[in-house]
Amino acid sequence: MSIPNAASLRQQIERTIGPAPWYWKTFPALRSRAGQRFVWTHHGDQGPLAYVVTLALEQEPEKIRLALNTYCRPFLVPPDFLGIWCPEGRALRFACFDPDQLKAFDLAEIAGWFKQSADRIYAATAPIAEFESSLALAAGTHKIQVPAELATVDELIVPTSYKTMSPDDPAFAIFVFYMQAGLVEVLPQKWFTASQYQVGPQWISRAARDAESQRIFGECFGTGTFLLEEDGCRLAEWIHRTT
């Protein structure tokens, strides 16, 4: 198997979607089935809308259609739906929206309470499909029930915190969802443990797969960018260290 080019990986990492609000500029450009273009807006880190990221029509930026709280990540659902995934309790929640159906709402509806709530996604229109996947899954591949609306997604790589029993257990895992196949592969990150890293200040913020080598790479917030071994569980090398 080929070894990925470091320069190419650095470019890919910059484009890899990360969680709201910190990585909102990586969020995908969205064009609906009706040909409408949508834009993302981050509302800053002060005031009642602090850290909220919203979605609106390009020609009507003041009319909010969707609001995302911290740790939400959007992804495109072919051919023209929008998916959102986020942690919710001890599960991962996946929601699918038809952008053309999203109704506008007043930002006053979410000002203040949204940031203090456990809700991650706010819309005046219900998702057309959603499902949850437990974070308690053991290492390996598991069958999952995926709604038809999300089954057009080939692969979705989801880094998430992982329950530990000791400081030497993996504190993070990468869940690889093969939605077309109805499968999820759980890859505990054996190198990322509480005995080796400051879990919390340091965390795996985003990850993707290099198309040429098929190796997973990503970013560890507060540490640097990394490449994993072929097994997807062990650290092969640091692409760039920040600390």
Side-chain angles (χ1 to χ4, degrees), residues 196-218:
Q196 297 292 322
Y197 294 87
Q198 294 181 321
V199 180
Q202 296 173 313
W203 52 290
I204 299 175
S205 54
R206 49 183 175 166
R209 189 185 300 278
D210 177 58
E212 185 173 338
S213 68
Q214 292 300 299
R215 300 267 288 275
I216 294 174
F217 61 89

Side-chain angles (χ1 to χ4, degrees), residues 162 164 166-173 188-200 202 204 220 233:
Y162 202 54
T164 62
S166 79
D168 295 318
D169 289 340
F172 251 74
Q189 296 304 291
K190 298 177 180 179
W191 57 279
F192 192 87
T193 65
S195 62
Q196 297 292 322
Y197 294 87
Q198 294 181 321
V199 180
Q202 296 173 313
I204 299 175
C220 183
C233 296

Side-chain angles (χ1 to χ4, degrees), residues 55-146:
L55 182 72
L57 282 169
E58 187 176 50
Q59 69 271 26
E60 297 177 340
E62 75 287 352
K63 294 183 178 180
I64 305 305
R65 311 278 170 156
L66 180 69
L68 303 181
N69 207 337
T70 51
Y71 299 108
C72 283
R73 302 175 213 225
F75 59 96
L76 297 178
V77 179
D80 34 41
F81 291 157
L82 175 68
I84 308 289
W85 76 263
C86 59
E88 195 159 284
R90 293 304 302 165
L92 295 166
R93 179 190 178 194
F94 298 84
C96 183
F97 293 91
D98 180 348
D100 288 324
Q101 293 182 14
L102 290 173
K103 297 177 182 178
F105 59 88
D106 194 323
L107 275 177
E109 295 181 31
I110 63 169
W113 71 264
F114 192 31
K115 296 309 301 175
Q116 278 69 50
S117 76
D119 292 332
R120 299 285 180 192
I121 305 168
Y122 184 92
T125 308
I128 59 174
E130 58 183 318
F131 77 98
E132 289 189 351
S133 178
S134 171
L135 285 172
L137 293 176
T141 302
H142 308 266
K143 290 184 178 181
I144 53 174
Q145 295 294 322
V146 178

